[in-house]
Amino acid sequence: MRKKISLKDIANEMGVSTAVVSYVLNNKYEGRISEAKANEIKNIAKKLNYFPNQIAKSLKKDRTFTIGLIIADISNLFYSSIARYIENESKKYNYNVIFGSADENADKFNELIQVMLGRQVDGIILAAPKGTETTLNYLKERQLPFVLIDRYFPQIMEINTVGVNNYQASYTVVQHIAANGYKKPAMVTLRTDLFHMQDRVSGFKDACRQLLGEQDSKVVEVKEDMLSEELEECLLNLLEEQNDLVYFSTNKIAMEGLAILVKRDVKVPNEMGIVCFDQADAYKIFNTSITFIKQPLQYIGSKSVEMLISSINGNRFAENVVLETQIVSGNSSASRKNS
């Protein structure tokens, strides 16, 4: 069996004490030894393939230096991007991340929570599906640090949350398209009870009423598990009803919708304007530049980690962070005033 390298082995190689090696490998050597000597010790540790004993380290400090991340749907580009930022930010605090995707399923979410608890994570960042309020309250009662991202549950008070102003995001969309001369927009969204999605719908409806005089604005809800089947019929109906623009409320709907418009050879924006919530690299292959709502993904990731680490370190004051979005204008919602 291959011998496990210890601090003593590195100390013997360098001719220093194990305490000095420990200071260096835990980045606590400043003022004790020179930068050059510290780099020598790090290089020896690397050459000898030294790996710290995380179990002993966690027992000593009563921490595992791992955090759990449960996202709502790994196939959603928003969450895959957020996961990358969270992992990068966690490394700055010397934390590892354990991932899980709930696939918008409450039962799977509950199972993942138990897995995280079994791994004794120090805290969890999560995007909870609908119907998980009981589990969130359970985590709160256990006083396990957690931060809710993207979603919120108004009935659960005093928990850490990071999200965007979904109402204002949709309102801004209508301001943009009204300024560009669109008169009859429609919104395509998911059939869901999630509050952040309802906020997007409310912002759209209120703006249509106040800015366009549309008392009964067109909002079409589609089932997520039947997205491709329902969306094509939906878009054809909107074209027939002469809606001049479609606002897709998620990038998952947008990707499916754009593919349908290409298949049907719908001219964008001449026959139908397009605005999408969230960005996606795949928009670049569409034959028209896409107007989209940009969320501050990197800041959401870094802020959620910062809040979680603060909570792990004993801060029990809940923080509610609501961030603003911005609209990035493309040709898909180009002005119709002169057309």
Side-chain angles (χ1 to χ4, degrees), residues 1 58 107 137 168 171 181 184 192 209 231 320:
M1 176 182 276
S58 65
D107 291 335
N137 277 318
Q168 186 58 48
Y171 201 101
K184 195 179 177 184
T192 178
R209 184 174 62 254
L231 194 53
N320 228 342

Side-chain angles (χ1 to χ4, degrees), residues 95-156:
Y95 268 80
N96 293 312
V97 180
I98 301 173
F99 294 91
S101 176
D103 299 330
E104 298 290 5
N105 183 293
D107 291 335
K108 187 172 182 182
F109 176 81
N110 294 336
E111 290 172 6
L112 285 170
I113 289 291
Q114 294 306 315
V115 169
M116 300 297 180
L117 294 177
R119 293 289 188 93
Q120 296 185 314
V121 297
D122 296 330
I124 307 177
I125 297 172
L126 46 87
K130 64 180 180 179
T132 55
E133 293 88 340
T134 300
T135 303
L136 295 177
N137 277 318
Y138 167 72
L139 293 176
K140 187 179 174 185
E141 288 165 8
R142 280 192 56 149
Q143 296 188 331
L144 179 77
F146 71 93
V147 177
L148 192 63
I149 59 170
D150 187 45
R151 315 291 176 82
Y152 72 96
F153 297 82
Q155 63 272 46
I156 305 178

Side-chain angles (χ1 to χ4, degrees), residues 203-260:
F204 177 79
K205 286 184 173 181
D206 286 352
C208 283
R209 184 174 62 254
Q210 295 165 17
L211 303 177
L212 297 174
E214 288 279 341
Q215 297 304 315
D216 188 22
S217 49
K218 185 76 171 181
V219 176
V220 181
E221 296 181 346
V222 292
K223 293 180 181 177
E224 188 164 10
D225 58 355
M226 295 186 66
L227 192 56
S228 56
E229 296 91 335
E230 292 189 0
L231 194 53
E232 183 159 12
E233 183 181 356
C234 158
L235 290 175
L236 292 176
N237 288 339
L238 294 177
L239 279 166
E240 189 175 328
E241 295 167 8
Q242 297 187 316
N243 291 95
D244 54 9
L245 181 138
V246 174
Y247 167 38
F248 295 120
S249 73
T250 73
N251 59 29
K252 193 169 184 178
I253 299 175
M255 296 302 298
E256 195 75 44
L258 291 173
I260 292 167

Side-chain angles (χ1 to χ4, degrees), residues 99 129 134 160 162 167 219 221 223 232 276 303 313 326 337:
F99 294 91
T134 300
N160 286 311
V162 183
Y167 177 94
V219 176
E221 296 181 346
K223 293 180 181 177
E232 183 159 12
C276 304
K303 185 62 179 177
N313 288 335
Q326 66 181 100
K337 288 185 176 181

